[in-house]
Amino acid sequence: MDEDSFRAWAHRAADWSVDYLAGVAERPVRAQVGPGEVFRQIPAAPPAAGEPMEAIFADLDRLILPGMTHWQHPRFFAYFPANASPPSVVAEFVTAALAAQCMLWQTSPAATELESRVTDWLRDMIGLGPDFAGVIQDSASGATLAALLTARERALAFAGNREGLAGQRPVRVYASAQVHSSIDKAVRIAGIGDANLVRIPVTGPLFGMDPAALDAAIRADQAAGLLPAAVVACLGGTSIGACDPLEAVAAVAARHGVYLHVDAAWAGSAMICPEFRDLMRGAEQADSLVFNPHKWLFTHFDCSAHFVKDPRALTDTLGLRPPFLRTLEREGVVDYNEWSIPLGRRFRALKLWFVIRSYGVEGLRDMIRRHVAWARALAERVAAHPDFELVTGPILSLFTFRYAPAGAGDLDALNERLVARINDDGRTYLTQTRHDGRFVIRFQIGQTTTTWRDVEIAWEAVQEVAASLAPTRAGSEDGAGRRDPA
Ligand SMILES: *Cc1c(COP(=O)(O)O)cnc(C)c1O
């Protein structure tokens, strides 16, 4: 592609992007294709000769768009958001043009030094305190793996890295059942093993781990000759937004010299609003914390902010300096690859810099505050509806509910059908979880362009689809009696 046609196609792509986002609200939120439908339309063999861009671009609209779930749709209320914003799109375009591999300071000093600066900004924005240093990881999963490897090696005095885990005392990790599956995965990858992930029971309205039970579990393990290494606490669990009592958990971890990692992947972005920071009290006592600007801070995937109190412990765990990676005659520079699992690194700081500067901290706060206020307002409506039940109240912008009309039989099956029908309907997109053994529907608000009207439309869609389900009025089992119109 020559320069002139690159310019023309770059402009086409820009126009396409603006038009796509302007019209995305008209599309069904979740892709309406079946398995294999897209695959079958893509030729089995690549073209031997180059094809015209016009043809490639036409196929984008024809083949790809119908198979997309629209994450930037204003009525995307499923999972957690992966929101973005125009300044972030622009920065990603520029990043793509630079196409720099930012593994070492030397391979792009500006990328490294901007990363140091914007992670300091983020740290200060969430009120974490200057004794933390930040790095941008590809994912919260990657950050948590790095944290657990660090904790493992700290507990083993680096014998794991030197000798392997065979013959070492079993390393123990503690977390509630509300933590994300990335903790389970990191425990496996780190060679710690499922059997050494100790589940601590939760209590209270925020479903946080019981610090006394944590303390007892650590003491029991010490007495049994096992090696307590890390506590992973959650600030905004994925299922229903559970928050561990960080202050009390940190006190237990400190008492036993155990590493504390806080997974705030989703909720961390909301900590830029001081009024929500009650939830993170005690986080400053942690050894590390991760949150995802790529979830709720209007910045493209991938962008996970990982903060550590002792970068040396992290780089001693992960940093390797083979001769071909040495930066000659440069002391005092940061080589961020030593802070991460992969060697290669995208220039992720640029989009954060664009987003934070473009909105300003107050602009970002305004958007998050609206999401939280709307979630609270909608949760009230759900709770007030005679045929619906609010199962867990809003923690920030996430709550769960279920359809429980009088006389309905199997509520799990009914709600499973309801979620499927809502997503076939296309006006909104919701997903489910299990809470206390029950099938419940999650509702979270976090999209950049969502308005209160979008929230209302989604709630209207839920009520309409629910009413059309015609539940079997069996009058049996768990539905009976509980919602009798007295
Ligand atoms: C989304 C999520 C993760 C995983 O995030 P990735 O960046 O996709 O790895 C981890 N923890 C929590 C609490 C999450 O919500």
Side-chain angles (χ1 to χ4, degrees):
M1 190 183 281
D2 65 22
E3 231 169 64
D4 285 343
S5 50
F6 176 37
R7 187 180 306 280
W9 281 105
H11 286 150
R12 265 287 280 282
D15 286 340
W16 185 95
S17 304
V18 175
D19 292 343
Y20 163 72
L21 289 169
V24 70
E26 312 308 320
R27 298 175 185 272
V29 189
R30 195 211 54 201
Q32 303 289 319
V33 297
E37 226 173 281
V38 177
F39 182 81
R40 280 192 297 273
Q41 296 182 73
I42 311 289
E51 297 183 66
M53 276 299 282
E54 198 66 61
I56 302 170
F57 224 80
D59 283 347
L60 167 66
D61 287 324
R62 192 172 65 86
L63 300 178
I64 303 303
L65 261 196
M68 293 304 293
T69 290
H70 301 288
W71 282 72
Q72 305 313 315
H73 196 296
R75 289 188 297 281
F76 182 103
F77 302 116
Y79 304 102
F80 275 142
N83 68 19
S85 60
S88 185
V89 177
V90 172
E92 279 288 63
F93 188 94
V94 174
T95 302
L98 289 168
Q101 214 278 40
C102 308
M103 59 185 177
L104 302 168
W105 175 86
Q106 180 170 266
T107 64
S108 273
T112 295
E113 294 184 13
L114 186 64
E115 182 162 338
S116 300
R117 193 54 94 183
V118 293
T119 51
D120 283 356
W121 284 5
L122 284 176
R123 176 199 64 200
D124 295 347
M125 284 164 65
I126 64 168
L128 199 55
D131 49 343
F132 284 88
V135 54
I136 304 177
Q137 307 279 18
D138 55 358
S139 61
S141 306
T144 293
L145 175 57
L148 283 187
L149 290 168
T150 305
R152 185 193 77 187
E153 288 310 294
R154 202 178 81 169
L156 289 170
F158 295 91
N161 274 1
R162 280 193 313 272
E163 301 155 17
L165 296 180
Q168 311 292 351
R169 279 196 290 161
V171 168
R172 304 282 274 181
V173 174
Y174 309 84
S176 85
Q178 293 290 327
V179 296
H180 187 263
S181 54
S182 56
I183 284 77
D184 303 58
K185 196 187 264 187
V187 161
R188 287 184 175 183
I189 301 171
I192 293 167
D194 293 349
N196 292 306
L197 174 54
V198 183
R199 296 293 184 187
I200 307 300
V202 298
T203 59
L206 295 176
F207 305 93
M209 75 166 93
D210 174 2
L214 173 66
D215 190 61
I218 294 175
R219 285 177 196 278
D221 281 354
Q222 283 168 335
L226 307 173
L227 187 57
V231 178
V232 182
C234 64
L235 171 54
T238 312
S239 182
I240 53 105
C243 292
D244 290 321
L246 297 179
E247 211 161 24
V249 167
V252 174
R255 186 178 313 141
H256 299 290
V258 171
Y259 188 103
L260 174 59
H261 175 63
V262 177
D263 179 6
W266 160 69
S269 294
M271 299 301 116
I272 67 169
C273 305
E275 69 270 32
F276 302 138
R277 285 191 200 145
D278 270 4
L279 294 174
M280 74 178 275
R281 200 179 309 124
E284 66 282 355
Q285 305 299 324
D287 293 286
S288 55
L289 178 145
V290 62
F291 86 94
N292 287 350
H294 73 226
K295 272 191 170 142
W296 198 8
L297 209 60
F298 316 97
T299 306
H300 274 81
F301 187 84
D302 50 353
C303 186
S304 276
H306 179 197
F307 299 99
V308 296
K309 218 173 244 165
D310 180 8
R312 268 302 287 273
L314 177 60
T315 57
D316 283 353
T317 303
L318 297 181
L320 293 168
R321 289 192 183 183
F324 52 83
L325 287 181
R326 277 185 54 221
T327 301
L328 301 175
E329 295 162 25
R330 292 280 183 186
E331 284 311 311
V333 300
V334 178
D335 289 330
Y336 275 124
N337 78 82
E338 298 182 8
W339 300 48
S340 312
I341 308 290
L343 170 66
R345 317 185 76 248
R346 276 163 40 74
F347 186 4
R348 302 190 189 92
L350 195 74
K351 57 196 169 191
L352 266 173
W353 193 52
F354 272 47
V355 167
I356 297 170
R357 292 184 63 187
S358 173
Y359 287 97
V361 178
E362 279 304 329
L364 296 169
R365 284 178 178 146
D366 283 348
M367 292 193 283
I368 285 176
R369 282 176 177 141
R370 282 197 289 271
H371 297 159
V372 173
W374 292 336
R376 289 173 178 168
L378 180 60
E380 277 177 26
R381 290 199 185 184
V382 172
H385 194 296
D387 290 342
F388 286 87
E389 179 177 284
L390 187 69
V391 178
T392 59
I395 295 177
L396 298 168
S397 63
L398 168 67
F399 65 86
T400 63
F401 69 100
R402 64 178 184 167
Y403 184 43
D410 182 344
L411 289 183
D412 282 3
L414 181 64
N415 280 277
E416 202 167 330
R417 258 198 312 144
L418 175 58
V419 159
R421 294 283 179 81
I422 289 168
N423 296 333
D424 290 344
D425 170 87
R427 275 176 284 176
T428 187
Y429 183 22
L430 304 178
T431 48
Q432 74 292 330
T433 188
R434 287 199 83 83
H435 183 69
D436 262 352
R438 292 179 293 177
F439 184 102
V440 298
I441 304 176
R442 296 169 75 266
F443 198 105
Q444 68 72 27
I445 305 177
Q447 285 312 109
T448 312
T449 56
T450 298
T451 63
W452 169 244
R453 181 67 200 132
D454 290 306
V455 177
E456 284 185 320
I457 293 171
W459 174 225
E460 286 160 19
V462 169
Q463 293 170 88
E464 276 176 41
V465 174
S468 77
L469 281 183
T472 44
R473 305 246 162 210
S476 64
E477 289 123 50
D478 57 331
R482 202 171 38 77
R483 284 197 169 266
D484 271 353

